[in-house]
């Protein structure tokens, strides 16, 4: 059998072997991690408030990764992308970000034939609660003031999450219209 022949096996995925699918998902995870890093750290990166808080749309790419990739790959893309963005901009937040961004992935489903589903739109709204409370807890543990940490975290993350949710829905609808998930 030459290297261009696709071996038929029980591990075949839509005309590709399991190894081919794994390589494709690994590659897509790397691309998502890079896009999440750049979108979070540099593109539409707007500093607000105190303690290094900023608004970005990198979470929209985490939501997309979670709806396109198998969960383990999406978890890796979110953790690496979010963690690297913080290491480049506000390193003190990196440990909290890695955990929070991985939790966001778990809200979404990649099982449907489309990206924008009722579950995934609801997940983008619930992501605000995880993001807000996650960073509140991290800020409280680092700086100690519960009242100010809660107000800062919930306020700035409401804007960030709403913007990321809107970008996710718009991009998801465009990708659904292009039939992306059917081609994967």
């Amino acid at each position: 059998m030459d290297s261009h022949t696709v071996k038929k096996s029980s591990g075949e995925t839509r005309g590709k072997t399991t190894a081919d699918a794994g390589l494709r998902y690994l590659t897509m995870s790397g691309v998502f991690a890079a896009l999440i890093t750049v979108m979070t750290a540099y593109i539409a990166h707007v500093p607000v408030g105190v303690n290094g808080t900023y608004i970005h749309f990198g979470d929209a790419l985490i939501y997309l990764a979670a709806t396109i990739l198998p969960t383990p790959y999406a978890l890796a893309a979110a953790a690496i992308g979010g963690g690297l963005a913080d290491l480049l901009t506000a390193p003190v937040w990196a440990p909290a970000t890695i955990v929070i961004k991985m939790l966001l992935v778990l809200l979404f489903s990649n099982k449907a034939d489309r990206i924008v589903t009722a579950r995934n739109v609801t997940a983008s709204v619930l992501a605000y609660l995880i993001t807000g409370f996650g960073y509140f807890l991290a800020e409280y543990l680092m700086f100690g003031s519960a009242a100010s940490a809660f107000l800062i975290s919930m306020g700035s993350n409401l804007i960030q999450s709403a913007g990321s949710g809107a970008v996710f829905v718009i991009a998801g609808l465009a990708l659904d219209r292009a039939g992306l998930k059917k081609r994967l």
Side-chain angles (χ1 to χ4, degrees), residues 16-134:
K16 304 277 187 191
T17 64
T18 303
D20 290 343
L23 181 59
R24 185 173 61 244
Y25 290 138
L26 186 61
T27 303
M28 289 173 62
S29 299
V31 170
F32 268 115
L35 291 171
I36 291 164
T37 300
V38 171
M39 186 65 96
T40 302
Y42 301 114
I43 299 175
H45 175 109
V46 181
V48 295
V50 295
N51 297 334
T53 303
Y54 58 92
I55 297 168
H56 61 81
F57 299 116
D59 285 1
L61 291 166
I62 290 172
Y63 306 165
L64 285 171
T67 59
I68 293 170
L69 297 171
T71 303
Y73 294 93
L75 288 168
I80 293 167
L84 282 175
D86 275 1
L87 287 174
L88 293 168
T89 59
V92 69
W93 296 105
T97 292
I98 290 167
V99 172
I100 292 165
K101 300 312 179 187
M102 289 176 74
L103 290 173
L104 295 181
V105 168
L106 299 176
L107 295 172
F108 293 84
S109 173
N110 63 2
K111 304 293 187 231
D113 290 336
R114 296 179 344 204
I115 294 168
V116 180
T117 63
R119 176 187 170 144
N120 290 335
V121 171
T122 302
S124 71
V125 174
L126 294 175
Y128 160 65
L129 296 174
I130 288 178
T131 302
F133 284 114

Side-chain angles (χ1 to χ4, degrees), residues 64 113-116 168-183:
L64 285 171
D113 290 336
R114 296 179 344 204
I115 294 168
V116 180
F168 163 71
V169 169
I170 292 166
L173 288 171
L175 293 171
D176 282 343
R177 179 172 251 177
L180 176 75
K181 290 211 53 174
K182 292 177 183 165
R183 287 191 258 159

